[in-house]
Amino acid sequence: MRNDVADRCRLDQAATVRLIVVGAGCRGEIYSSFGSIHPERLKVVGVADPRKFARTKLQQQHNIVDENIFEDWHTMVEREKFADAVAICTPDRLHKEPAVAFAKKGYHVLLEKPMATTAEDCTAIVEACTQSGVMLSVGHVLRYDPVIHNIKELIDAGAIGDVMHIQHLEPVGFWHFAHSFVRGNWRNEEESSFALLAKSCHDIDLIHHWAGARRCLKVTSFGSVSHFGKKDKPAGAGNRCLDCSIEADCPYSARKIYMDRVKQGNTGWPVSVICPNSFPDIESVTEALETGPYGRCVYECDNDVCSNQVVNMEFEGGLTAAFSMVAFTEEICKRKTTIYGSKGELSCDGHEVRVFDFLTQRSTKHSPLSGAPRRFMSMSGHGGADYYLMDAFVSAVANNDPSLIRSGPEETLLSHLLVFEAERSRLEGRVVYCGDLGHR
């Protein structure tokens, strides 16, 4: 099956889109790499990042002139506008200010998810982009995944009739959760955001997307921090993995997650994350594990975000949906979805879509292929979805056509507001009646 984003984005492009990157970490590097693959379509012309190693790395990858390299994005936005668009890839709590500032300066905005960490800030970003007449694309990359997008195509084509119930699972992965949400940048709500927003706003957005025009009426959610606490620490365990006597028997060992990978020559994610100021090798990884947060025992961290959470939703017309996020899984972020309709059942294992027709009692399999370059897929970990998001955003800017963007401002804002309402339900222990989210 074709990927219609790719088809629609192959339009005549009068000029190369110029992009500046604010935040040269993992996501900034992935998005900007589209320019290395398609230099005729995208040129990265500036970068802002307080870390010298990160901004220098991006500068060298894209041959950016020295005058367009900044430690502080505030200095960059004060300059006369020198690009068409900006990619905001700063930490979650630092999204709103640069997004609003660059929108007001006239830059089209590619904003990494989540939009921001409060409903008010999300709304302010959308208002700034709308009032400034610039396009906003939020990094809900899964909307661009060929397999997941096929689900929406089949629903819209009536393949299973009216949608009655959606079941959706995100298996985070046991070591991925330990890396990002126990030891890493998203472990602590005060420093980043709650887990449902940081990790699963993708998934609530997809459910909201599949529900179509039906509004969510009410939501409930339950979840907690499980297992990763001092009370769960095994007897004899040390405070750091490299000097722990029982490390060999621990599946969450930092030695296994990082050191073993770098010994095998794997220096990309997640190893690259723990060495933000140097190239990861045995020496730098050892130092990071001896002194940094990623070498800590998972039972001795300051994590407070949910390790498992469920969200139940009721939409107009009787449609119900159930979402589960679980840390303790073998698979890493390979979502599993089953959608029950009045005429059939659709299921997706992340690789292919299967539709069972109630009338014929036959199953049909759909296996959309990703045309993303292998190099891009190895970097991103989203099955080529990052590539298609960039393909759409670059074409939208080049052709002044916001319809090419699947993750635009209005619908993305609504799904973010639904995430905030779900978390409110969890914290307050009650059913939350959503009302009209668009007017919150």
Side-chain angles (χ1 to χ4, degrees):
M1 181 172 290
R2 65 180 178 83
N3 184 283
D4 71 320
V5 166
D7 288 349
R8 293 178 66 203
C9 291
R10 294 190 187 102
L11 305 173
D12 291 334
Q13 191 160 312
T16 302
V17 172
R18 298 164 300 158
L19 178 75
I20 55 178
V21 178
V22 177
C26 180
R27 300 305 297 167
E29 184 177 359
I30 288 172
Y31 289 142
S32 62
S33 67
F34 188 89
S36 300
I37 298 170
H38 297 292
E40 77 287 356
R41 297 181 59 197
L42 179 70
K43 181 171 178 56
V44 180
V45 297
V47 60
D49 195 295
R51 301 164 298 174
K52 182 178 180 180
F53 178 78
R55 65 177 182 267
T56 301
K57 182 180 180 183
L58 212 67
Q59 178 183 19
Q60 293 173 346
Q61 289 175 347
H62 299 282
N63 298 313
I64 304 171
V65 296
D66 289 341
E67 65 185 45
N68 290 347
I69 306 299
F70 302 86
E71 291 185 38
D72 189 337
W73 67 263
H74 292 86
T75 309
M76 175 185 269
V77 80
E78 289 170 0
R79 276 260 308 268
E80 183 178 347
K81 184 172 179 281
F82 64 99
D84 305 297
V86 59
I88 306 291
C89 302
T90 50
D92 297 352
R93 287 189 174 273
L94 303 179
H95 281 183
K96 183 241 183 174
E97 189 182 359
V100 169
F102 280 97
K104 289 182 176 179
K105 196 79 173 185
Y107 290 89
H108 299 293
V109 179
L110 172 63
L111 178 62
E112 176 55 5
K113 65 85 187 168
M115 296 173 71
T117 57
T118 68
E120 293 75 18
D121 284 355
C122 291
T123 302
I125 291 170
V126 170
E127 289 177 348
C129 291
T130 301
Q131 292 169 4
S132 301
V134 300
M135 286 179 267
L136 171 64
S137 177
V138 179
H140 278 314
V141 297
L142 294 184
R143 285 206 186 198
Y144 300 82
D145 180 284
V147 175
I148 291 179
H149 179 60
N150 189 214
I151 295 175
K152 177 63 171 171
E153 290 182 314
L154 289 165
I155 290 173
D156 290 348
I160 59 172
D162 295 330
V163 176
M164 299 298 182
H165 180 69
I166 300 171
Q167 286 187 333
H168 186 65
L169 167 70
E170 181 182 14
V172 181
F174 71 99
W175 67 260
H176 176 19
F177 192 88
H179 165 71
S180 295
F181 300 96
V182 179
R183 297 182 173 113
N185 294 333
W186 295 275
R187 71 190 184 281
N188 187 281
E189 184 174 339
E190 186 175 346
E191 294 185 15
S192 57
S193 58
F194 53 95
L196 191 66
L197 182 67
K199 188 71 185 79
S200 301
C201 65
H202 275 311
D203 304 279
I204 301 301
D205 179 71
L206 287 178
I207 291 171
H208 186 264
H209 186 50
W210 293 329
R214 285 181 275 188
R215 294 184 304 117
C216 185
L217 302 176
K218 52 189 174 181
V219 59
T220 62
S221 182
F222 309 94
S224 62
V225 184
S226 302
H227 187 67
F228 297 111
K230 295 182 186 298
K231 64 180 177 60
D232 302 298
K233 186 175 181 178
N239 291 333
R240 286 191 170 272
C241 295
L242 293 191
D243 56 11
C244 178
S245 62
I246 65 169
E247 173 272 327
D249 296 321
C250 179
Y252 306 104
S253 160
R255 186 187 297 275
K256 294 183 179 71
I257 295 174
Y258 308 110
M259 191 67 76
D260 288 357
R261 279 181 167 80
V262 79
K263 286 180 179 178
Q264 296 166 3
N266 299 326
T267 57
W269 185 87
V271 178
S272 59
V273 174
I274 75 171
C275 299
N277 299 314
S278 64
F279 183 80
D281 55 24
I282 295 295
E283 290 73 22
S284 61
V285 169
T286 299
E287 181 181 359
L289 298 186
E290 288 176 343
T291 62
Y294 292 94
R296 293 179 294 176
C297 172
V298 291
Y299 306 104
E300 290 287 350
C301 295
D302 58 342
N303 58 299
D304 63 3
V305 299
C306 289
S307 54
N308 52 285
Q309 188 166 355
V310 297
V311 180
N312 295 315
M313 292 153 277
E314 182 178 338
F315 292 80
E316 290 176 323
L319 166 62
T320 54
F323 167 67
S324 297
M325 180 274 288
V326 186
F328 309 99
T329 63
E330 174 187 0
E331 290 196 299
I332 308 294
C333 302
K334 290 292 185 183
R335 274 87 171 171
K336 293 179 173 59
T337 306
T338 305
I339 302 179
Y340 302 90
S342 59
K343 295 182 178 180
E345 177 181 318
L346 180 153
S347 59
C348 178
D349 61 1
H351 302 287
E352 68 177 13
V353 181
R354 174 184 173 272
V355 175
F356 178 79
D357 186 288
F358 292 164
L359 180 62
T360 65
Q361 296 191 35
R362 293 181 179 177
S363 295
T364 304
K365 292 183 179 180
H366 305 262
S367 303
L369 299 176
S370 175
R374 185 182 300 273
R375 169 185 166 191
F376 207 99
M377 293 181 69
S378 65
M379 286 180 63
S380 72
H382 286 128
D386 293 317
Y387 175 83
Y388 287 118
L389 180 146
M390 284 302 298
D391 188 37
F393 180 68
V394 169
S395 289
V397 173
N399 296 283
N400 194 29
D401 185 359
S403 71
L404 296 173
I405 296 172
R406 286 185 186 155
S407 49
E410 291 82 8
E411 189 177 359
T412 305
L413 176 60
L414 288 177
S415 70
H416 272 64
L417 294 177
L418 182 53
V419 172
F420 289 114
E421 296 289 62
E423 183 66 2
R424 185 155 69 97
S425 168
R426 185 186 75 85
L427 294 174
E428 297 178 4
R430 66 181 181 88
V431 176
V432 170
Y433 293 83
C434 301
D436 189 349
L437 290 176
H439 292 285
R440 283 189 56 82

